Amino acid sequence: MTVCEDKEGPIALSSDQVQAGGLTVTLRGPVRDAAENALQQLRASRVASRLAAKDATLWGPAAEPEASIRLGWVDLPQESRALLPQISEIAQAKREAGLDRVVLAGMGGSSLAPEVIAASRDARLITLDTTDPHQVRRVVTTDLDRTVVVVASKSGSTVETDSHRRAFEQAFADAGIDPAERIVVVTDPGSPLAELAGERGYPTVLANPHVGGRYSALSAFGLVPSALVGVDIEALLDEAAALAATLADDTNPALLLGAALGGFSGRDKVVLAGATPVGLGDWIEQLVAESTGKDGTGLLPVVVESASAPGFTPGPDTHLVVYGETEPEVPETADTVVTGPLGAQFLAWEYATAVAGHLLGINPFDQPNVQESKDNTKALLELSNNGTLPTGTPLLTDGAVEVYASDGTGVGDAKNLASVLRALIEQIPDDGYLAVMAYLDRDAEGDGQAAALRSELAALTARPVTFGWGPRFLHSTGQYHKGGPANGVFLQITGDITEDLPIAGKPYTFSRLQLAQALGDFNALAERSRPTVRLHWRDRSAGLAELIRALGEIRP
């Protein structure tokens, strides 16, 4: 069913493509055939018109209470326009004050969308979504004289963002700067952060409380930081509004995308490739993984460097999606192609993810296993009042790398790092995947190179390999890791801290918080018998070098 857009709306063209509202979705091969079957089911249930009307019954009785307060994103292309005057006033005031260095302190849905918006519009936004003390210290001590900070948290109590706020308040005070002149808050009405902002005089933009974090790209969370770096956010809303006008029609392209994602039995590894919008794959990863990875099922997004990335092996459980603002280069292996402007892409993927949740029979608006790792972190911090954490005993030490392992990893007899990696890779089941989780400084020259490990490891196995920065991924694929299918194998990386950073008003430092988050998630995975290995780099540069060398030893 291919459709295109004319003055009357979408019209049918062929059986593999839909175009409307500035967005084009093209399906190929087996995915097309399966999506057609799913579309028949969606049309019979009137899913398009019901979703556009915010029908909370679409995901079943158990999900209805949550869905009834999480569908506000459907209206954001129009509703968010009411925020434009306030946002514009704040942005203009900060520019007139000479504040041209914008830092965003936020996690998950509060940071990923504005990061994509800024990067796609060639604007400079510094995203702080880490607890690594090296990275945090560098951000909070650089160019404070021209820095404005957006503190963004839906709940108003996110531990990472609260810690960032405290660090900046201390840094501004030490520099003789009034934090009220430099901090802008984005949060939900009535949150603890909203109350604190009112007390301290921080300019505050309140978001729609009926929009979940990962569906908030077109809300205040996406728009405020983007406006501060000079992005035309009204144009972004215009792009989304053009698509929104088609969403009640059962031939709209976002419905086809949802059918492709949720209707093809067995193809649960969604491989994402695209050069533009810049970084969109990371945003889609969070949206899809956290929305669908639960109840032992879900879709695993795998962000790759390109559609022809080394180590990507098409298989019966992979679904290669290529996206682009303009027509991208499409390899023969591509199953789905999504083309259109950023605003339309945001809305289309949100809509398609909700549709996929309907087809998969899950609630796409909750995240039951995200809280577990948060609770584990809190418990570890409360137990470590003396400053130490229960790291356990290394299985072995190879140079600068200590190796820790849960049960079921198959690494018990390993003699060195290379044999650990070889044994771990051998544990990946035929329908499984390997997840690399790095609690490091993603902006540092050495640490940042850890991201290259994804392709290095992918070259050693035909199975999908994902990469996530901790604790960022805890608000993304972390839900899928624990709530999705039990076929993942996990490689966690931590590193020694050379210079710690205190958190004002808290009994712990950033390094203890970071390690507690890593250990808390390690324990959550181990309790589920997910094979997990932690590599701790006693020296970060040496640890990375030794890991790369070990990979070279096992490469065919």
Side-chain angles (χ1 to χ4, degrees):
M1 177 209 62
T2 300
V3 301
C4 71
E5 181 182 17
D6 70 1
K7 294 181 180 179
E8 303 300 324
I11 60 173
L13 286 181
S14 70
S15 61
D16 60 356
Q17 187 180 87
V18 172
Q19 180 182 19
L23 191 83
T24 302
V25 173
T26 306
L27 306 185
R28 300 161 63 171
V31 169
R32 176 187 58 202
D33 300 333
E36 186 63 43
N37 293 331
L39 279 172
Q40 293 178 16
Q41 174 185 335
L42 295 171
R43 289 170 181 156
S45 300
R46 299 182 295 104
V47 167
S49 59
R50 290 169 64 193
L51 181 51
K54 299 187 293 185
D55 183 346
T57 67
L58 278 169
W59 301 274
E64 186 175 349
E66 181 79 17
S68 67
I69 58 170
R70 288 291 177 261
L71 287 167
W73 55 271
V74 174
D75 298 327
L76 289 179
Q78 292 300 331
E79 181 189 273
S80 288
R81 295 174 192 275
L83 297 174
L84 295 181
Q86 181 191 11
I87 295 174
S88 177
E89 181 180 355
I90 293 172
Q92 182 177 348
K94 299 310 177 186
R95 283 194 292 270
E96 290 176 352
L99 305 180
D100 61 354
R101 179 178 182 260
V102 182
V103 177
L104 170 59
M107 299 299 299
S110 298
S111 64
L112 287 167
E115 185 173 78
V116 173
I117 296 167
S120 296
R121 300 300 181 258
D122 198 26
R124 173 65 169 161
L125 176 66
I126 300 170
T127 303
L128 192 60
D129 57 358
T130 181
T131 48
D132 187 87
H134 301 154
Q135 187 174 344
V136 176
R137 176 183 293 278
R138 188 170 57 254
V139 174
V140 302
T141 59
T142 301
D143 295 330
L144 287 180
D145 59 316
R146 59 186 187 89
T147 296
V148 57
V149 181
V150 179
V151 178
S153 170
K154 179 176 174 62
S155 68
S157 59
T158 307
V159 64
E160 299 94 337
T161 307
D162 180 69
S163 300
H164 300 150
R165 174 188 59 79
R166 292 168 181 269
F168 267 108
E169 287 176 338
Q170 186 67 56
F172 285 137
D174 291 346
I177 298 171
D178 182 359
E181 297 176 355
R182 303 303 188 87
I183 293 177
V184 176
V185 167
V186 182
T187 189
D188 276 4
S191 76
L193 180 57
E195 294 178 8
L196 181 143
E199 294 169 359
R200 300 190 180 180
Y202 299 157
T204 303
V205 182
L206 296 177
N208 184 334
H210 291 166
V211 177
R214 58 188 177 274
Y215 290 82
S216 66
L218 299 170
S219 77
F221 288 102
L223 300 181
V224 172
S226 303
L228 284 169
V229 296
V231 172
D232 184 348
I233 57 175
E234 186 173 9
L236 188 75
L237 294 176
D238 289 342
E239 293 168 357
L243 179 66
T246 74
L247 294 184
D249 194 301
D250 65 8
T251 58
N252 81 76
L255 188 72
L256 183 63
L257 178 59
L261 292 173
F264 197 26
S265 176
R267 294 205 176 230
D268 60 350
K269 313 300 189 302
V270 182
V271 182
L272 299 164
T276 62
V278 179
L280 183 63
D282 292 334
W283 177 82
I284 296 171
E285 177 184 54
Q286 187 231 0
L287 173 69
V288 173
E290 199 170 36
S291 296
T292 70
K294 59 200 70 172
D295 300 333
T297 188
L299 303 171
L300 176 68
V302 183
V303 181
V304 297
E305 297 74 18
S306 71
S308 56
F312 167 58
T313 305
D317 62 347
T318 60
H319 177 178
L320 177 57
V321 180
V322 181
Y323 57 82
E325 288 187 278
T326 58
E327 189 65 34
E329 182 177 343
V330 181
E332 288 297 321
T333 52
D335 300 297
T336 300
V337 182
V338 184
T339 309
L342 179 56
Q345 293 262 8
F346 279 146
L347 184 59
W349 281 98
E350 290 166 351
Y351 183 101
T353 300
V355 170
H358 172 82
L359 291 168
L360 293 169
I362 54 92
N363 176 3
F365 305 113
D366 67 351
Q367 50 284 331
N369 303 110
V370 170
Q371 188 61 41
E372 179 181 358
S373 287
K374 293 179 181 179
D375 292 342
N376 286 353
T377 295
K378 182 179 179 181
L380 285 168
L381 288 172
E382 290 174 348
L383 286 172
S384 63
N385 289 328
N386 62 353
T388 61
L389 288 163
T391 58
T393 303
L395 178 69
L396 64 90
T397 300
D398 189 347
V401 181
E402 295 175 347
V403 179
Y404 301 81
S406 69
D407 295 335
T409 58
V411 304
D413 297 328
K415 303 302 181 184
N416 54 38
L417 184 55
S419 56
V420 167
L421 296 171
R422 184 182 295 109
L424 187 66
I425 290 171
E426 290 174 352
Q427 291 297 314
I428 306 173
D430 291 342
D431 64 345
Y433 64 98
L434 172 65
V436 185
M437 309 165 294
Y439 289 82
L440 301 168
D441 179 350
R442 71 171 175 138
D443 292 334
E445 181 178 353
D447 283 10
Q449 294 175 3
L453 294 172
R454 194 215 71 81
S455 57
E456 292 279 345
L457 285 159
L460 299 175
T461 175
R463 302 308 307 145
V465 177
T466 67
F467 180 91
W469 293 106
R472 168 183 174 134
F473 79 87
L474 291 176
H475 301 259
S476 176
T477 50
Q479 167 62 44
Y480 184 96
H481 292 166
K482 295 179 282 291
N487 57 9
V489 173
F490 302 90
L491 178 63
Q492 187 185 86
I493 304 173
T494 56
D496 270 3
I497 305 300
T498 58
E499 189 174 10
D500 206 351
L501 183 66
I503 302 173
K506 292 294 183 181
Y508 50 83
T509 64
F510 274 99
S511 69
R512 282 176 61 199
L513 174 58
Q514 182 187 42
L515 183 57
Q517 289 176 312
L519 296 177
D521 197 48
F522 183 100
N523 293 340
L525 292 168
E527 288 167 3
R528 286 175 168 73
S529 300
R530 278 20 177 197
T532 309
V533 166
R534 178 167 74 94
L535 305 182
H536 182 75
W537 296 348
R538 297 188 297 180
D539 177 281
R540 293 193 180 193
S541 296
L544 175 61
E546 290 175 12
L547 180 51
I548 292 175
R549 183 166 54 250
L551 289 172
E553 291 178 17
I554 63 176
R555 187 174 297 118

